[in-house]
Amino acid sequence: MCGEFIKKRLRDPDSAEFVSEPISIPAVRNPEGSYYSLLTVRAANGFGGKSVEAFSCNVAKDANGTWQLQNLVDLGEQ
């Protein structure tokens, strides 16, 4: 789900490629039931090229079972 929330913030969501380098860890479940993940995405930038950025993400399901974004931090270009 973090990937979907990240795509919504990109200039060209269809260009997103999630990569394992330099940073990427699978979702980890926190004790309170939310999930945390670090993701690296390569995507089109405003200059016609591609940039690689890392994101820290927290998500959780609400009472209706819908995924909600709790926190998304752009860690910058890698």
Side-chain angles (χ1 to χ4, degrees):
M1 279 313 303
C2 283
E4 294 304 313
F5 288 114
I6 291 169
K7 282 182 177 183
K8 289 178 183 180
R9 295 197 173 191
L10 298 175
R11 179 180 300 275
D12 181 2
D14 292 334
S15 71
E17 301 171 44
F18 291 92
V19 296
S20 60
E21 296 293 329
I23 300 171
S24 193
I25 64 166
V28 175
R29 186 173 184 177
N30 296 317
E32 72 278 0
S34 66
Y35 289 84
Y36 171 78
S37 187
L38 286 173
L39 295 169
T40 300
V41 62
R42 179 181 304 117
N45 60 30
F47 301 106
K50 288 202 170 188
S51 60
V52 177
E53 294 190 50
F55 292 86
S56 168
C57 177
N58 286 84
V59 295
K61 285 189 176 181
D62 64 17
N64 297 321
T66 303
W67 287 103
Q68 299 294 318
L69 180 63
Q70 294 183 318
N71 190 27
L72 182 62
V73 178
D74 184 342
L75 301 173
E77 288 192 34
Q78 301 298 302

